[in-house]
Amino acid sequence: MILLNPLVDGFCPARLTVVPSRRGCSSDKDCPGGHKCCRFDCGPVCLTICVYTVKLGQCPIPEMIPPCAKSCFHDGQCPATQKCCPTTGGFACSKP
């Protein structure tokens, strides 16, 4: 994870998993409002930075999460104390 310019609050994700709002930037100033300049193997891109909820606890091993568990992108989408954990086929809510 590389933070090119701290003008926009938040951190760049470790991997590019969404379509960027713009390709090619050298700082947050080059990105549209609220977007952050993040560097990946494919080069720097502008991304919307979201604030994610992180709950306490550790995820179980992926094979222990039921295949019918609710899919998620971050802990804030999971009920109560459940966390968004990696599975063998993506991410799902699970008890820590």
Side-chain angles (χ1 to χ4, degrees), residues 45-70:
V45 297
C46 296
L47 296 179
T48 300
I49 300 299
C50 299
V51 176
Y52 296 112
T53 300
V54 178
K55 296 179 183 176
L56 296 175
Q58 292 183 337
C59 290
I61 59 171
E63 292 79 11
M64 299 299 293
I65 299 174
C68 59
K70 177 186 171 191

Side-chain angles (χ1 to χ4, degrees), residues 1-81:
M1 173 172 54
I2 297 173
L3 190 64
L4 291 182
N5 190 332
L7 293 175
V8 176
D9 288 341
F11 294 93
C12 294
R15 292 180 292 156
L16 181 59
T17 58
V18 297
V19 177
S21 60
R22 180 175 175 220
R23 293 196 175 273
C25 55
S26 58
S27 79
D28 294 347
K29 293 179 194 175
D30 298 331
C31 298
H35 293 205
K36 185 160 206 59
C37 186
C38 300
R39 187 175 305 278
F40 298 97
D41 290 341
C42 64
V45 297
C46 296
L47 296 179
T48 300
I49 300 299
C50 299
V51 176
Y52 296 112
T53 300
V54 178
K55 296 179 183 176
L56 296 175
Q58 292 183 337
C59 290
I61 59 171
E63 292 79 11
M64 299 299 293
I65 299 174
C68 59
K70 177 186 171 191
S71 63
C72 58
F73 292 104
H74 61 86
D75 290 355
Q77 297 174 314
C78 298
T81 59

